Amino acid sequence: MEEKREEKRYVGVKENLAYGFANAGQVFGYNLNSYFSLFFTKVFGIPERAVARMILFLGIWDTINDPLMGGIIDKTRTRYGKLRPYLLIVPIPLAIATVMLFSGPLIMSDVKKTLPKIIYMYISYFIWELLYTLGDVPFWGMSSAISPLPSDRTRAISTARFISSLIGGLSTSLLVLLMDASNNDIIPISLPQVFCLISIIAAAFIVCLFSLAGIKCKERVVQTVKEPSVLEGFKVLLRNKPLLIIVIGNVLATLGGVSEAFRTYYYDAVLNLNSLTLIITLPGTIFGFVTYLIIPKLKKKLDNRQIVFLNGITRAVVGVIVFLVGMKHYNDLRVVVPLLLIQNFIFSFFNTVNLVIPTEMIGDTIDYMEWKTGERNEGVSYSVLTFVGKLTSSVSSSIATALLPVIGLSYKAVGQERITIKGDHTDLWIWAFFTAIPYIFSLISLVPYFFYDLNGKKLAQIRDDMKKRRQALSKTVSGGMNDE
């Protein structure tokens, strides 16, 4: 009887869906960051080096900011829990910040000097990133606190990733369609107006959907009555060897993100057809949805560490093959379309896996530290997931932007328009950085995982021990509420 009660499902379908749609609302706006480099250089008219420095500087700030915010969140104790208060407060100011960030070119349209634009870029980007941190850290912390059962957590994470894949990607799909329509005078709006329009739509998604995480989701895993200091949270983090390995691996994988930045330049500057990305990604996107059904079967064959190795090696091998086959035909649609379709189809499988496995691994490290110390640190631990993601995105985007003048790509203002300037081999370099080079360098990120041992019998023993501990506290929930 006790066994049945212990294994019951805590999180219902409605709450799972609320968590999933909340992630979609958040991701709808955050996905626009893949166009930051192009937006700031081509649309806002800010020099490439200034953009690269800004993205790098604020990316480094995020490495400090995210764990700091995570420590503050871990210290929070309210009748609503320690995570929900942030999820209730953040959506509205985040929506406003999103509009202000992408409306910069319109707000500063009469400003001729570069310095005021750079200042606006710094301030608006800083506020936007800070608010995303305040929302993202508790959101993913909720995936661990929503239930004491690993099956509930995996279901919540998969639901969130699945729904965000369906809805979150619509922002960039709509963006590239509007960009091509604007560039070809199909619609009477400029590129600055296109980005402003997208930001308003994103703001609506944030307010209407992201808010569901705070309104509909509950924290069920018991928190200690004692409020840990921020310093104590960091000390726990430093003792969490499996989490540190994940952090080091992800930081070393930063160069892999350079491909994403060059993807936007490949479709815009080489093919002059931004919306082609929709055709290229469609089959893979559909297959990605099917992957969610495959993940449980994959995990029966491979543990999380083995999946990480399979992901990194496959990307490098496929990337090199695609580059070599297309290196003399990178602007020939008859060659690159089938090539990129195949590459994206293969990568889509691992993209979906990467949306679930790393988050699940972070949850395992939280359980590991609770097993080891009796303390749970969702805030600090999941801040690692967000800061590594943002650091990787920021540093890779900064590197890509800094490389633009090196490979001969720049933008020159001619009247109200900005024209593209390219060197003799610029297109080839863009193709190389889009398809192969980043994935080769990111193979180094696999080295730390040779020392990752939170799997197999050890992980099973930890989960079994934690079940027994929680059984005595099963009627207690975070915030003093009772879910039984």
Side-chain angles (χ1 to χ4, degrees):
M1 189 70 180
E2 276 299 312
E3 187 67 23
K4 281 186 179 179
R5 197 171 75 83
E6 183 185 352
E7 292 298 331
K8 79 166 192 175
R9 177 173 172 175
Y10 288 85
V11 186
V13 174
K14 290 183 179 179
E15 189 174 353
N16 256 324
L17 290 175
Y19 192 67
F21 278 105
N23 191 37
Q26 179 199 36
V27 169
F28 189 94
Y30 196 73
N31 275 349
L32 296 174
N33 73 345
S34 61
Y35 283 84
F36 272 157
S37 180
L38 187 68
F39 168 71
F40 286 128
T41 56
K42 182 177 181 179
V43 182
F44 209 162
I46 298 174
E48 290 81 5
R49 287 186 175 85
V51 174
R53 283 193 294 266
M54 185 274 296
I55 294 176
L56 179 61
F57 175 76
L58 292 184
I60 293 174
W61 157 245
D62 271 338
T63 66
I64 303 170
N65 171 50
D66 280 51
L68 180 62
M69 291 298 106
I72 293 172
I73 290 168
D74 276 332
K75 187 176 172 61
T76 302
R77 294 292 185 275
T78 75
R79 67 189 183 94
Y80 297 105
K82 73 177 184 182
L83 306 171
R84 286 185 67 205
Y86 298 94
L87 297 174
L88 290 167
I89 294 169
V90 166
I92 291 178
L94 177 58
I96 295 171
T98 300
V99 175
M100 295 302 295
L101 172 62
F102 288 101
S103 298
L106 294 180
I107 294 173
M108 306 289 286
S109 60
D110 294 330
V111 177
K112 303 301 180 184
K113 295 183 178 180
T114 302
L115 182 59
K117 293 183 178 181
I118 293 176
I119 293 173
Y120 186 97
M121 174 181 66
Y122 267 88
I123 294 174
S124 60
Y125 185 82
F126 173 82
I127 294 173
W128 186 80
E129 280 282 14
L130 178 62
L131 288 170
Y132 254 109
T133 297
L134 284 173
D136 205 40
V137 172
F139 178 82
W140 289 114
M142 183 67 80
S143 72
S144 177
I146 201 168
S147 172
L149 298 180
S151 57
D152 272 341
R153 297 177 189 177
T154 300
R155 193 179 296 111
I157 294 168
S158 297
T159 301
R161 297 302 195 181
F162 177 75
I163 295 178
S164 68
S165 298
L166 284 173
I167 299 176
L170 294 178
S171 59
T172 52
S173 298
L174 181 58
L175 175 61
V176 295
L177 287 171
L178 291 175
M179 286 174 66
D180 280 350
S182 174
N183 289 333
N184 294 287
D185 298 322
I186 297 173
I187 55 175
I189 61 175
S190 64
L191 283 180
Q193 291 171 328
V194 165
F195 276 89
C196 179
L197 175 61
I198 290 294
S199 71
I200 293 172
I201 297 172
F205 272 75
I206 291 169
V207 172
C208 295
L209 295 184
F210 188 34
S211 300
L212 293 174
I215 297 171
K216 298 293 186 181
C217 298
K218 298 178 182 179
E219 299 177 42
R220 295 180 175 84
V221 176
V222 179
Q223 304 295 335
T224 56
V225 175
K226 176 188 174 185
E227 296 181 11
S229 69
V230 174
L231 181 59
E232 286 174 340
F234 279 103
K235 286 180 179 178
V236 171
L237 175 63
L238 292 174
R239 296 201 303 270
N240 194 333
K241 177 185 173 183
L243 182 58
L244 290 176
I245 288 173
I246 294 173
V247 171
I248 295 170
N250 278 272
V251 170
L252 291 176
T254 296
L255 289 175
V258 171
S259 172
E260 180 65 18
F262 273 97
R263 177 184 65 83
T264 63
Y265 287 104
Y266 176 72
Y267 288 110
D268 185 77
V270 178
L271 299 182
N272 192 31
L273 190 59
N274 291 283
S275 55
L276 180 62
T277 186
L278 300 180
I279 298 173
I280 298 298
T281 58
L282 181 59
T285 300
I286 296 172
F287 180 57
F289 297 147
V290 178
T291 302
Y292 285 101
L293 303 175
I294 300 175
I295 290 176
K297 296 181 180 179
L298 179 66
K299 286 177 64 61
K300 290 181 180 179
K301 301 290 185 181
L302 304 172
D303 60 38
N304 287 336
R305 184 179 69 165
Q306 291 169 328
I307 293 173
V308 169
F309 278 107
L310 179 64
N311 175 22
I313 294 171
T314 302
R315 286 180 185 274
V317 171
V318 172
V320 170
I321 293 173
V322 169
F323 167 72
L324 292 175
V325 175
M327 65 182 296
K328 294 183 179 180
H329 311 281
Y330 46 78
N331 55 4
D332 186 342
L333 294 181
R334 295 170 300 178
V335 176
V336 298
V337 168
L339 265 181
L340 294 177
L341 279 170
I342 294 171
Q343 183 190 47
N344 188 263
F345 189 83
I346 296 172
F347 282 11
S348 66
F349 174 82
F350 292 102
N351 290 341
T352 302
V353 170
N354 280 347
L355 292 175
V356 177
I357 299 302
T359 308
E360 186 178 295
M361 291 173 76
I362 297 290
D364 289 339
T365 68
I366 294 172
D367 286 344
Y368 165 75
M369 286 308 292
E370 183 182 6
W371 173 74
K372 185 177 179 181
T373 68
E375 298 284 342
R376 290 187 66 82
N377 298 86
E378 286 97 345
V380 170
S381 298
Y382 275 99
S383 72
V384 170
L385 181 66
T386 58
F387 107 70
V388 167
K390 290 193 290 185
L391 175 65
T392 299
S393 176
S394 298
V395 174
S396 60
S397 183
S398 175
I399 292 172
T401 307
L403 284 171
L404 296 182
V406 176
I407 65 175
L409 179 65
S410 61
Y411 296 97
K412 180 180 179 182
V414 178
Q416 297 296 319
E417 302 292 329
R418 292 182 65 79
I419 62 173
T420 304
I421 307 297
K422 294 192 289 186
D424 293 337
H425 303 291
T426 299
D427 287 354
L428 178 59
W429 278 113
I430 292 176
W431 173 251
F433 279 109
F434 170 39
T435 58
I437 293 177
Y439 300 117
I440 296 172
F441 278 103
S442 66
L443 285 173
I444 194 174
S445 67
L446 301 180
V447 174
Y449 287 96
F450 282 103
F451 306 96
Y452 184 86
D453 64 351
L454 197 55
N455 48 37
K457 292 181 179 179
K458 180 176 181 178
L459 183 58
Q461 182 62 52
I462 290 172
R463 287 175 173 172
D464 184 59
D465 289 347
M466 292 313 302
K467 283 182 182 180
K468 293 174 182 177
R469 287 189 198 180
R470 289 167 182 153
Q471 188 172 358
L473 300 171
S474 62
K475 292 184 179 180
T476 306
V477 294
S478 179
M481 300 169 61
N482 195 318
D483 193 54
E484 287 294 311

